Amino acid sequence: YTLRSMRKAALSGAERKSIAFLQTKPQLLRDILKLLPLPKADVNSFVWILKEIGLLSFERPSDVQKSKPAQKKVDPTKRIHQKIMEIERGTFFDVLELHWICVSQEIEKSYQALHAQFQSFGSRPEVPLILSGLKEAYEELKDTDVRREYRAKLFHQQILLQAATELASHAESAIQKKDKTLACLCYSKALELCPAEQGFRDGLKRAALS
């Protein structure tokens, strides 16, 4: 899609600018949601719109996107401000700095690391609020069934199925390449999104035996 092809659509100037920004380069969904302060109730509709106009892909992030810059000294003031914004405007996945297709082990690891980091800023008055926000997000996401219910409030079922199907495709490619670890991870995350799909369950067994 281009802005020219959407001239007749009922879009405001701000909405057109937002779409133009999203077309400039690939963006992770969680980063987009941080930049656009949407109410939590509107996230599902926003993601669905991105998919419908061709701006949403479930491709695995490239090595360039995943690569992290050299570690820099953390500025406690900036870090605290960032986390407060995520707690106030983001999803629980944002609060724990996780992709929305995360699993229990990732949630536990991220919570422990974030809790330790912000606890080290203990003399600052905002820290209790942040620790409380981290705890709330952790309690909501640590249980698999509760996490799935929460995710279903954010994303349409069709989006969950499409993402799971893409993960299964990556898993099959990993099996062919004899990458057992990646294959098991992809099928585990496909089941995280669609636990009732027997095909994904069978795929995980094949991946484990590959």
Side-chain angles (χ1 to χ4, degrees), residues 32-47 88-90:
I32 293 172
L33 295 177
K34 288 179 184 178
L35 291 171
L36 303 177
L38 293 168
K40 292 182 181 180
D42 293 341
V43 171
N44 184 35
S45 297
F46 175 71
V47 174
E88 291 180 346
R89 299 183 179 182

Side-chain angles (χ1 to χ4, degrees), residues 17-36 46-47 50 54-62 64-66 99-100:
K17 288 180 181 179
S18 296
I19 292 174
F21 167 73
L22 296 178
Q23 290 177 313
T24 58
K25 63 178 181 179
Q27 303 273 346
L28 292 176
L29 182 60
R30 66 181 182 187
D31 294 335
I32 293 172
L33 295 177
K34 288 179 184 178
L35 291 171
L36 303 177
F46 175 71
V47 174
L50 290 182
L55 290 181
L56 182 64
S57 169
F58 296 100
E59 296 177 5
R60 185 182 178 187
S62 67
V64 174
Q65 287 175 303
K66 292 192 296 182
H99 191 282
W100 57 274

Side-chain angles (χ1 to χ4, degrees), residues 132-187:
S132 176
L134 290 172
K135 182 67 173 178
E136 180 185 8
Y138 174 69
E139 291 296 331
E140 182 74 13
L141 299 181
K142 69 176 183 178
D143 180 83
T144 302
D145 291 335
V146 176
R147 180 170 67 251
R148 285 174 177 151
E149 290 178 6
Y150 175 69
R151 188 186 287 115
K153 295 176 183 178
L154 299 178
F155 301 101
H156 192 280
Q157 180 60 34
Q158 185 61 33
I159 291 176
L160 301 181
L161 179 58
Q162 184 172 343
T165 302
E166 290 286 344
L167 284 163
S169 177
H170 287 308
E172 289 299 319
S173 296
I175 290 175
Q176 293 177 9
K177 296 175 181 177
K178 308 298 182 182
D179 190 341
K180 179 178 179 178
T181 300
L182 179 59
C184 288
L185 177 63
C186 288
Y187 264 127

